[in-house]
Amino acid sequence: MLGPTYIKLGQILATRRDLLDDRWTAALEELQSGATRIPFEQLQAQVEASLGEPVETAFARFDREPLAAASMAQVHRAELHDGQQVVLKIRRPGIRAIIEADLRLIRQAIGLAQKTSAELRRFDPVAMVDQLTRDLLDELDFTREGRNADLLRADFADQDAVVLPGIHWQCTSEDLLVMDYIDGIAPRDPESLRQAGIDPDRMADLGAETVLDMVLVNGRFHGDPHPGNLLCLPGNRLAL
């Protein structure tokens, strides 16, 4: 079975309709939120160790059935005692060792290919894999993601059309990220957006404007903007 690093690659390829046939990208889209799900019983001890208490006392309501699952984590809905709807992003147990093993295999394969191809050596693919290794291992620390979300939210504080979920730091740790639940539609099918009263053309424009603001104005950008990480909201708003 291929590990989570390959799932990450599949998530990226799912967005590349310029490279792959629609049948391939449609199949690969399942990796963006429909990866293999783990029974919560296998995650419970880890979650409760992070929270410092049972989920039944930490939350007014907790859904043991996952909302979604991807390469590194699984997401569950919950409700805080003040009524706030949230989601828990739970890191998969043992994921660091699995990713490190994936990356070692990829680096060995790329190293062999680089030795035999002068064309490939021009791009220094081993250095690219080393950068990927650093980035993926950093991504395993969910406190980094939480801090980055706070920074992006501050960057777009004056733009009502761009929404970022609030982070609940009292519940968040390296392997558990608790954030506001946002109800929206992933930007995969223009017709589903129209049926919800959302203008797909406006959403495309807003997405492009948001990327330009992040890269050219703010100097910070969302590094994984596939449809599993984006939601379209009523009023033609975009949630990252």
Side-chain angles (χ1 to χ4, degrees):
M1 180 183 293
L2 296 178
T5 310
Y6 301 95
I7 294 177
K8 274 288 182 187
L9 177 61
Q11 291 174 345
I12 294 169
L13 290 175
T15 67
R16 296 303 303 270
R17 285 185 164 84
D18 56 323
L19 298 177
L20 298 176
D21 183 89
D22 285 349
R23 292 173 297 174
W24 283 95
T25 56
L28 290 169
E29 281 177 355
E30 290 297 315
L31 298 174
Q32 293 171 348
S33 59
T36 302
R37 302 183 179 200
I38 302 172
F40 180 70
E41 288 71 24
Q42 297 180 25
L43 302 171
Q44 186 167 357
Q46 172 184 308
V47 171
E48 294 183 346
S50 296
L51 291 170
E53 60 180 312
V55 291
E56 289 81 7
T57 59
F59 303 101
R61 180 188 59 78
F62 180 82
D63 191 348
R64 289 174 174 261
E65 288 298 315
L67 179 65
S71 56
M72 293 185 178
Q74 183 162 292
V75 176
H76 290 254
R77 284 194 66 177
E79 181 181 319
L80 300 180
H81 290 290
D82 63 3
Q84 173 73 52
Q85 300 298 307
V86 297
V87 293
L88 282 71
K89 180 178 179 179
I90 305 166
R91 194 171 71 190
R92 292 179 178 268
I95 193 72
R96 177 178 289 273
I98 297 171
I99 287 178
E100 288 174 343
D102 285 348
L103 290 166
R104 282 195 299 271
L105 291 173
I106 292 172
R107 196 180 194 282
Q108 289 172 5
I110 289 294
L112 290 173
Q114 182 170 305
K115 288 179 180 178
T116 59
S117 171
E119 182 68 20
L120 197 58
R121 283 196 295 274
R122 293 175 53 213
F123 299 98
D124 197 359
V126 170
M128 293 181 184
V129 173
D130 289 343
Q131 179 66 54
L132 175 65
T133 298
R134 291 190 294 271
D135 290 345
L136 283 181
L137 294 180
D138 282 349
E139 195 174 334
L140 289 173
D141 182 354
F142 290 171
T143 62
R144 287 176 177 267
E145 182 174 344
R147 290 193 297 270
N148 288 333
D150 283 347
L151 290 170
L152 283 177
R153 192 182 319 100
D155 288 340
F156 288 98
D158 61 348
Q159 298 188 37
D160 293 337
V162 181
V163 179
L164 281 101
I167 305 300
H168 297 265
W169 285 105
Q170 73 277 15
C171 305
T172 292
S173 64
E174 182 179 335
D175 58 9
L176 177 66
L177 180 64
V178 181
M179 67 183 82
D180 294 343
Y181 170 73
I182 296 178
D183 189 14
I185 301 173
R188 292 191 175 96
D189 173 28
E191 187 53 37
S192 64
L193 296 179
R194 293 189 187 96
Q195 291 176 3
I198 299 170
D199 181 353
D201 293 331
R202 175 56 195 143
M203 297 310 302
D205 289 343
L206 178 59
E209 293 164 6
T210 301
V211 169
L212 290 173
D213 279 346
M214 287 190 287
V215 174
L216 301 179
V217 179
N218 303 328
R220 267 185 293 270
F221 61 91
H222 191 304
D224 198 15
H226 61 68
N229 286 337
L230 302 172
L231 290 173
C232 299
L233 310 178
N236 295 323
R237 294 174 298 145
L238 178 66
L240 309 179

